[in-house]
């Protein structure tokens, strides 16, 4: 089981580093590259650099709120 945990941890860490590197390059470095450079083909428009994390955060907060509400209702039913 320890090997599987290490593999999952490695995969999650790799995905996190990849997303962080992509986003950092997209937000910090790409605005200084010429608009007609081929590297712009690999990235979404700059507006999405703000919209995607905001939507992801709102979605995460919604799911956490539903989960907390579900747990609170379930614990109320156990007491009654």
């Amino acid at each position: 089981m320890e090997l599987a945990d290490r593999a999952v941890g490695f995969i999650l860490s790799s995905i996190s580093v990849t997303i962080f590197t992509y986003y950092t390059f997209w937000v910090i470095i790409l605005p200084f590259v010429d608009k007609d450079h081929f590297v712009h083909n690999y990235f979404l428009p700059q507006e999405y650099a703000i919209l995607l994390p905001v939507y992801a955060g709102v979605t995460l907060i919604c799911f956490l709120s539903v989960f907390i509400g579900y747990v609170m209702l379930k614990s109320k039913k156990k007491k009654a």
Side-chain angles (χ1 to χ4, degrees):
M1 189 66 167
E2 184 178 317
L3 185 60
D5 291 341
R6 283 183 176 216
V8 169
F10 178 75
I11 290 169
L12 289 176
S13 296
S14 300
I15 290 171
S16 297
V17 167
T18 303
I19 290 172
F20 176 77
T21 304
Y22 179 86
Y23 187 77
T24 301
F25 187 80
W26 183 25
V27 172
I28 296 175
I29 297 173
L30 200 62
F32 298 107
V33 177
D34 292 334
K35 296 286 184 193
D36 57 346
H37 199 272
F38 74 92
V39 78
H40 280 278
N41 296 333
Y42 299 108
F43 295 93
L44 292 172
Q46 203 69 22
E47 297 83 31
Y48 291 106
I50 300 299
L51 291 177
L52 289 177
V54 167
Y55 286 141
V58 168
T59 303
L60 178 67
I61 289 172
C62 287
F63 280 124
L64 286 175
S65 299
V66 168
F67 175 74
I68 290 171
Y70 174 74
V71 169
M72 288 174 64
L73 286 175
K74 194 172 181 182
S75 68
K76 241 184 201 181
K77 288 181 182 178
K78 271 188 176 180
K79 289 181 182 178

